[in-house]
Amino acid sequence: MLVPIFAVGLSLTQSDRYRAASTVLVSRQSVANQLSGTADVGLQQQSFQQVLVTQAKLARTPTVMRSAIARGGDRTRNLTVPQFRSMSTVDADADSDLLTFAVTRPDVDSAKRLVIAYAQAYVEYRRNLDSTALRRALADVDSALVEARSRRDGDTELVARLSASRQQLETRLALQTANAQVVAGPEEAPQVRPRPVRNGVLGLFVGLLVGLAGAFLRDTVDTRVRSGDEAEQELGVPILSRVPRPSGGRVGDGQLTMLSELGGAAAEAFRILRTNINFGLTTHRARTVMVTSSTQGEGKSTTIANLAVATALSGRRVAIVDLDLRRPTLASMFGASSGRGLTGVAIGDATLEEALIEVDLPAPSGGIGQPEGRLWLLPSGPTPPDPGDFVGAEPVREIVKRLREDFDVVFLDAPPLIAVSDTAVVAEYADALFLCVRLGVARRPLLRELARALERLRLPVLGQVITGAEVDDALSYQSYYTYGQPRTATPSETSTERGRASSSI
């Protein structure tokens, strides 16, 4: 878009210019040579196209240009040779014996007059150049003839030969002007500048080429995934849902979509995810589901937290465990304290019932009644010295096993799969997994490496969730569903730490 606009704008700032042209015929052999029966030695040594190119260069010499400027009249006498060179051209025709002289000037009359003067100056210069040798030869013959006639014992035969030679030289000199002649003058002088329409079209073409080149370069250099179809192609797993960017708060402010914007399009995206995950759980008879990604910042913790709330709202007993011990975030997302958490239970500082936190769920649509399901959060707790070894310890395995027995569904928040070795250990506790891919963050090489890592896990992959989708994708859900005003929950309302929750479990 910018290139054609710039081209048209630049054209409109240019002053008017008109181009006039004149044609000169360069003979292959002069009339003088034809009458005398002699061949042109130059044409025997080189092709005539080379001769034309030589003549075009000859017309660009300062001598010819100065003569043209002098012939052009009073309006051109102040021109210098460099100025005249910049406004004129001489081109050799590849298919004929013609030279095309052209001059560009601010007005039509000046352009026509100057191009005629240029062509005539060349013809005159060519005639003088070709006749110089003949004039010199004629002078030599005249000297020899005078000397022969001045002798007392004059050789009449020598005088006759010299007289014949002189007559032949005079004839050739008279016919020498036919070597180059103007055959066509400038009938018109079309405007060559400004031409905004032509420049705009050329600018559009150039802009398209630049845009395509930039797109290909960006695709080559920038390996970020920008569409769900691209992510699906790289990973080879289906898309479970497309989740838009969160419209509410950030991590740490206790604002989750399924708690604060229950009637929004993003909440419907998590309901669709819940439905598709339930199909996978039924198919694989799974109760423990792990989430992972290729790198950090792809929204896996936010996604599994909202999914856990959506599953609990469907009437199921759900537990969510933060097994990303290196970067734990679930406690802050639910507005809860990390407390003793998983690590505290594993080292014996607390019981599982003491570490579990029950999350207050929002009321169903319309605000009537209480949700039938329940949701408990098991935060990570204090960070251990070596998270990679700690997450594979036997106490952690026993904790997950017990949660699997006590709850309908257990969601495990695991670190990125190809970033650390912890995820491969967490996968041993899971019955299935799904992935999170954030558009604009995930990169194609990482997704290909993630696909290879998934093959080594040999764990059922339910699919992938596209996070950070465009707003239009999320709004498409609202064309099918209508909700009331969303209920806004504060951090104090969304979670309550339950001390000794054995009776609830």
Side-chain angles (χ1 to χ4, degrees), residues 426-478:
V426 176
E428 298 177 1
Y429 309 148
D431 301 323
L433 67 85
F434 70 93
L435 309 167
C436 283
V437 177
R438 180 175 289 278
L439 301 182
V441 174
R443 297 184 179 273
R444 293 191 295 272
L446 289 179
L447 290 188
R448 287 191 285 267
E449 186 176 351
L450 179 61
R452 292 190 291 269
L454 290 175
E455 294 178 357
R456 295 192 294 269
L457 287 183
R458 299 184 181 277
L459 191 66
V461 180
L462 303 180
Q464 60 178 311
V465 179
I466 302 300
T467 61
E470 294 296 333
V471 177
D472 291 343
D473 296 335
L475 292 179
S476 64
Y477 295 120
Q478 291 183 330

Side-chain angles (χ1 to χ4, degrees), residues 473-490:
D473 296 335
L475 292 179
S476 64
Y477 295 120
Q478 291 183 330
S479 62
Y480 301 102
Y481 300 93
T482 302
Y483 299 92
Q485 293 296 327
R487 171 185 179 271
T488 302
T490 62

Side-chain angles (χ1 to χ4, degrees), residues 276-430:
N276 291 330
I277 289 291
N278 286 338
F279 281 125
L281 296 180
T282 303
T283 301
H284 298 284
R285 296 181 179 179
R287 299 180 64 181
T288 307
V289 182
M290 180 184 80
V291 64
T292 186
S293 60
S294 63
T295 185
Q296 65 181 14
E298 297 196 62
K300 63 177 181 59
S301 298
T302 303
T303 300
I304 200 170
N306 282 290
L307 175 61
V309 175
T311 305
L313 289 175
S314 68
R316 309 183 78 175
R317 292 162 51 82
V318 180
I320 180 171
V321 184
D322 196 344
L323 284 173
D324 189 352
L325 302 183
R326 299 176 187 268
R327 293 177 178 271
T329 57
L330 287 182
S332 60
M333 285 184 180
F334 284 98
S337 171
S338 180
R340 285 163 287 190
L342 174 71
T343 56
V345 177
I347 63 177
D349 284 351
T351 64
L352 180 59
E353 292 78 7
E354 292 173 336
L356 283 170
I357 301 173
E358 186 174 1
V359 178
D360 288 340
L361 299 177
S365 300
I368 301 176
Q370 295 296 323
E372 297 180 359
R374 308 285 291 276
L375 173 61
W376 279 268
L377 166 67
L378 181 59
S380 63
T383 303
D386 191 348
D389 291 338
F390 186 87
V391 78
E394 185 62 27
V396 177
R397 186 184 303 272
E398 291 298 326
I399 292 173
V400 177
K401 180 180 179 181
R402 182 178 172 188
L403 292 173
R404 189 179 188 279
E405 294 173 352
D406 294 340
F407 291 90
D408 297 329
V409 182
V410 179
F411 291 108
L412 308 178
D413 184 11
L417 180 57
I418 60 179
V420 292
S421 61
D422 309 12
T423 311
V425 178
V426 176
E428 298 177 1
Y429 309 148

